[in-house]
């Protein structure tokens, strides 16, 4: 997943980055590597049309909004009570 994400970033391919982030999150979820707060953030991002995954431990997450939708996704996440 990381190699696909890196290639997507280099190519400025948001759709490919979205796919790589979603695959990474699915793998982390399958391994039980998402805590409840991060899972809630990922689910809230998904409901807004964005891809998200845990950035590791510590509660940080990577959120990839659809092109042109960063502010809308941020408002949705804040409204859902995730930070």
């Amino acid at each position: 997943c990381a190699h696909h994400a890196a290639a997507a970033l280099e190519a400025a391919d948001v759709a490919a980055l979205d796919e790589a982030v979603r695959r990474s999150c699915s793998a982390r979820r399958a391994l039980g590597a998402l805590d409840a707060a991060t899972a809630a953030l990922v689910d809230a991002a998904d409901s807004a049309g964005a891809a998200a995954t845990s950035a590791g431990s510590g509660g940080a997450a990577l959120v990839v909004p659809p092109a042109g939708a960063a502010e809308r996704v941020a408002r949705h996440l804040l409204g859902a009570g995730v930070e």
Side-chain angles (χ1 to χ4, degrees):
C1 293
H3 295 291
H4 293 281
L9 284 170
E10 289 177 4
D13 185 341
V14 176
L17 180 59
D18 179 285
E19 180 182 330
V21 167
R22 289 180 191 277
R23 279 194 313 228
S24 172
C25 187
S26 291
R28 293 184 64 73
R29 197 180 294 260
L31 292 170
L34 289 183
D35 62 31
T38 305
L41 188 149
V42 167
D43 293 341
D46 186 59
S47 73
T53 192
S54 169
S57 60
L62 168 71
V63 178
V64 180
E71 287 184 34
R72 179 185 58 77
V73 170
R75 283 192 306 272
H76 179 81
L77 293 176
L78 290 172
V82 295
E83 298 178 14

